[in-house]
Amino acid sequence: MQNESQIKACPKALFPIAIFLVLYLGLGITFEYILHIPMGFYNIPIVAAFMVAILVACLQNRALKFDEKLEVMAKSIGDKNILIMILIFICAGMFAGILGRSSASSAAYFLLDFIPAQFAVVVLFIVATFVSTAMGTSVGTITVVSPIAIEVALATGFSVPFCVASVIGGAMFGDNLSFISDTTIAACTTQGCNMKDKFRTNFLIALPAAILTVILITVISLHTNAQVVAHNSYSLTQLVPYVVVLALALVGINVFIVLLVGIALAAVIMLFTGAVDFIGLIGNIGSGISGMYETIMVTILVSAMCGLIRVHGGFVALLNFIHKIFKGHRGGQLGVGLLVSAMDVATANNTVAIVMAAPIAKQMSDEFKISPRKTASLLDTFSCIMQGILPYGAQMLVALAAIAATKLETNYSAFDIIPLMFYPMLLLVSSLAFIIISPKKRKL
């Protein structure tokens, strides 16, 4: 099998991604907007679409034996970041399964007892930013906050996609800036800059987008006839797991410890308050984990497909194309952004995208005289922009799993949420403005 340095560029190796996009996006758009089938995107089995894409990848590059391709896929699936995500998904499913909808409903109505309904969505966004900054993980934040957001939506009359999109946006803000985020560590380590320097540069890009997001959410909220449609009672005891999880997250405790403490505490409280018996608790844990199966399968299949695309030369071809087409200081910065965005579309993992794009980004940084902290900031920011709006990204899948667990009468797809993802869109505008107005002089 070839070493990484021996892999030659092959644009055709990117074909499986195109196949997936045609199947998932193409059929979804056809069903939803041409054939007018209700919930058209929701009817597209995303796992099946990825299986077809993987089959296409396996049929490519006949120089590599099928057993060798299986080995490539196995090694990609066994990556540390993939394992971490799967474990987080399982813990998240257990936590949500134990508490169930009643606990999230209690959290929502408790929140609305202190906050006017018109400002509930703004608060959801702000809470998500703080939790994600502290935890260093957008997926963990969405896991904790999105069930509350869904119940807030049902209680106030705001749309579920609007509330969930606000939580995802806030989570991406924190993930982008957190000192303990994998993306921050990867970006700073590969570019050779201090985290505090990258944070200062990143903050100048992210803060305007966050402020504009708050303003936009507020304007939409004030023009929505939102009110508490039912003054339900709530259990303060059932709020304890949420409060403890949020507190631990804000302190900066590891996401696994946070979720495990939350799971144990939730189980004890639900048993001793009589909300569920032991048999029911075990069943709820199983149901919670089952709700994450599709999310886990997509994570595994994306990793396997990307492993094949990499060894077939698809990523090398993509990197070479971006490196050649952009010239000049500002063009180089835009190239770095496009580079990591393209890698994120291919891998659906912003940390992996940064690691893969980093060597070329470092070369572009030297060639176009871009400071290391600026390059690290661009890598992290553009990866978060793309990751926040990917319909098959972990963040979106976790949010959709939370919605599905609520068993609403209306099913929602990623494309109901994406148009309301104001923060990633505004972050893109802010990032482009930063590139345009930033000085050419390189600051080390």
Side-chain angles (χ1 to χ4, degrees), residues 75-303:
K75 288 182 177 179
S76 297
I77 294 171
D79 183 82
K80 175 185 174 183
N81 290 305
I82 303 301
L83 178 61
I84 288 173
M85 282 197 296
I86 291 174
L87 292 177
I88 290 176
F89 293 155
I90 293 173
C91 290
M94 292 174 66
F95 183 71
I98 292 172
L99 289 176
R101 179 172 175 177
S102 60
S103 296
S105 180
S106 291
Y109 282 107
F110 177 75
L111 183 69
L112 293 171
D113 252 4
F114 297 92
I115 301 165
Q118 296 284 8
F119 300 101
V121 185
V122 174
V123 171
L124 287 172
F125 174 80
I126 294 173
V127 167
T129 64
F130 279 107
V131 173
S132 186
T133 302
M135 291 180 72
T137 165
S138 54
V139 173
T141 300
I142 295 166
T143 297
V144 174
V145 184
S146 58
I148 300 174
I150 295 165
E151 294 299 332
V152 166
L154 298 177
T156 58
F158 284 115
S159 73
V160 171
F162 180 43
C163 292
V164 171
S166 299
V167 169
I168 297 175
M172 297 314 297
F173 173 88
D175 191 20
N176 186 204
L177 291 176
S178 175
F179 278 81
I180 61 174
S181 169
D182 286 349
T183 58
T184 295
I185 295 171
C188 293
T189 302
T190 58
Q191 300 308 305
C193 71
N194 293 325
M195 289 189 182
K196 63 179 182 179
D197 293 331
K198 179 261 184 187
F199 176 84
R200 291 169 184 166
T201 303
N202 227 148
F203 191 70
L204 295 175
I205 303 174
L207 183 61
I211 292 174
L212 289 174
T213 300
V214 169
I215 293 172
L216 187 54
I217 293 174
T218 302
V219 170
I220 293 174
S221 299
L222 293 176
H223 284 82
T224 303
N225 186 24
Q227 55 186 337
V228 180
V229 295
H231 290 277
N232 289 8
S233 59
Y234 49 82
S235 169
L236 289 177
T237 306
Q238 291 183 2
L239 293 179
V240 173
Y242 285 111
V243 174
V244 171
V245 165
L246 291 174
L248 292 176
L250 291 173
V251 172
I253 304 297
N254 181 277
V255 62
F256 284 119
I257 297 177
V258 170
L259 287 174
L260 289 174
V261 170
I263 289 168
L265 189 58
V268 170
I269 288 176
M270 297 301 281
L271 283 174
F272 280 88
T273 58
V276 65
D277 58 22
F278 183 75
I279 301 299
L281 177 68
I282 298 300
N284 290 343
I285 291 174
S287 298
I289 296 174
S290 297
M292 290 292 178
Y293 282 168
E294 184 176 74
T295 303
I296 293 172
M297 283 306 304
V298 169
T299 302
I300 291 172
L301 294 176
V302 168
S303 177

Side-chain angles (χ1 to χ4, degrees), residues 259-429:
L259 287 174
L260 289 174
V261 170
I263 289 168
L265 189 58
V268 170
I269 288 176
M270 297 301 281
L271 283 174
F272 280 88
T273 58
V276 65
D277 58 22
F278 183 75
I279 301 299
L281 177 68
I282 298 300
N284 290 343
I285 291 174
S287 298
I289 296 174
S290 297
M292 290 292 178
Y293 282 168
E294 184 176 74
T295 303
I296 293 172
M297 283 306 304
V298 169
T299 302
I300 291 172
L301 294 176
V302 168
S303 177
M305 183 182 71
C306 291
L308 287 178
I309 292 173
R310 186 185 69 254
V311 299
H312 290 173
F315 291 162
V316 175
L318 186 62
L319 296 176
N320 289 346
F321 171 77
I322 293 174
H323 183 249
K324 290 178 181 178
I325 198 171
F326 290 98
K327 307 296 180 183
H329 181 73
R330 292 188 175 91
Q333 293 179 68
L334 185 59
V336 170
L338 181 58
L339 168 67
V340 75
S341 297
M343 300 308 296
D344 196 68
V345 170
T347 62
N349 184 308
N350 47 349
T351 303
V352 174
I354 291 172
V355 172
M356 295 185 68
I360 297 295
K362 181 66 174 175
Q363 182 180 341
M364 295 173 71
S365 172
D366 295 334
E367 182 176 338
F368 300 121
K369 294 181 171 45
I370 308 170
S371 67
R373 65 181 180 183
K374 188 181 291 185
T375 306
S377 179
L378 291 171
L379 283 172
D380 200 350
T381 301
F382 276 90
S383 68
C384 280
I385 291 170
M386 189 55 66
Q387 187 69 24
I389 61 175
L390 275 182
Y392 51 93
Q395 290 74 7
M396 187 66 70
L397 293 174
V398 168
L400 292 174
I403 295 174
T406 312
K407 297 180 180 180
L408 305 177
E409 293 182 1
T410 303
N411 292 322
Y412 295 99
S413 75
F415 296 93
D416 295 307
I417 298 174
I418 290 173
L420 300 169
M421 295 287 297
F422 304 130
Y423 176 72
M425 297 176 188
L426 290 170
L427 183 60
L428 174 59
V429 174

